[in-house]
Amino acid sequence: ISGGEAAPHCEWTWAFQGCSNLIQAPLLAGWDTVTSVGASFFSVTFKDCSSLVGLPSSFVFPQSITSVGAHFFNGTFIGSSNLKAFPEGFNLPQHVTLLPEAFAANMFYNCESLTSLPEGFNFPQKPTEASNYVAASMFNRCSSLTKLPAGFNLPQNLTLVSDCFADSMFESCT
């Protein structure tokens, strides 16, 4: 993928959904120069991977991405109930300029073993506009989550926010 043509949709959508015996995610290689991805880039990729406990130390999302489609990380790890932590450097793309619908909605929903996120994990701070459900239920039912990284914050430059932006973001984080 050169990133020069129109970005395809659903690149990794459902790729490992329901792989209940998958213990570690594969490397995410060859995407480091891509600047634009379509809708549902990593949506529900590891849904219900109940044995997934971690990601390789080099597993990072492309930081060169500036443009994403709707449902970018929607439900990426939903139901990965044994996922405990992420490698250093794991982060949302920081150069995204617009937050489309359901950007990171349900991303960690029901990751009940997740205790923390790596230092530096944060929302992109450049966007001035955010669509519906951007962070809705992002950490819903992450009942073991005890700490967020220093400096973690929703985008601070927003001038337009649509419906349910962070609805139930931390619901049931007991």
Side-chain angles (χ1 to χ4, degrees), residues 19 25 28 49 88 91 101 106 117 119 122 125 140 145 167 172:
C19 291
L28 183 64
C49 289
E88 185 178 325
N91 206 352
E101 184 170 321
N106 305 302
L117 293 163
E119 283 305 313
N122 206 359
Q125 297 298 310
N140 194 321
L145 188 63
D167 181 50
S172 298

Side-chain angles (χ1 to χ4, degrees), residues 61-68 72-73 89-99 103 120-127 151-155 157:
F61 292 117
Q63 292 301 308
S64 56
I65 295 175
T66 57
S67 176
V68 299
F72 184 59
F73 285 129
F90 177 83
N91 206 352
L92 299 169
Q94 294 300 297
H95 300 290
V96 171
T97 56
L98 176 68
L99 296 175
F103 173 75
F121 182 87
N122 206 359
F123 274 90
Q125 297 298 310
K126 292 181 180 186
F152 177 82
N153 211 338
L154 294 172
N157 293 315

Side-chain angles (χ1 to χ4, degrees), residues 9-170:
H9 298 297
C10 306
E11 289 94 336
W12 289 92
T13 300
W14 303 98
F16 302 99
Q17 187 267 334
C19 291
S20 59
N21 292 320
L22 182 69
I23 327 174
Q24 183 169 313
L27 290 175
L28 183 64
W31 292 83
D32 24 344
T33 60
V34 174
T35 58
S36 179
V37 295
S40 302
F41 171 70
F42 229 74
S43 184
V44 293
T45 303
F46 297 104
K47 181 181 188 290
D48 296 329
C49 289
S50 55
S51 295
L52 184 65
V53 292
L55 304 175
S57 60
S58 58
F59 187 100
V60 292
F61 292 117
Q63 292 301 308
S64 56
I65 295 175
T66 57
S67 176
V68 299
H71 302 274
F72 184 59
F73 285 129
N74 186 14
T76 301
F77 299 101
I78 193 169
S80 295
S81 56
N82 284 308
L83 188 59
K84 294 179 182 9
F86 291 90
E88 185 178 325
F90 177 83
N91 206 352
L92 299 169
Q94 294 300 297
H95 300 290
V96 171
T97 56
L98 176 68
L99 296 175
E101 184 170 321
F103 173 75
N106 305 302
M107 187 173 179
F108 305 107
Y109 187 95
N110 207 26
C111 288
E112 56 194 34
S113 297
L114 182 64
T115 58
S116 63
L117 293 163
E119 283 305 313
F121 182 87
N122 206 359
F123 274 90
Q125 297 298 310
K126 292 181 180 186
T128 57
E129 295 183 15
S131 193
N132 300 325
Y133 305 102
V134 167
S137 293
M138 187 173 180
F139 299 101
N140 194 321
R141 296 185 183 206
C142 290
S143 55
S144 297
L145 188 63
T146 58
K147 178 182 172 187
L148 293 172
F152 177 82
N153 211 338
L154 294 172
Q156 297 300 293
N157 293 315
L158 296 177
T159 57
L160 177 65
V161 177
S162 295
D163 294 336
C164 302
F165 173 75
D167 181 50
S168 302
M169 187 173 177
F170 294 100

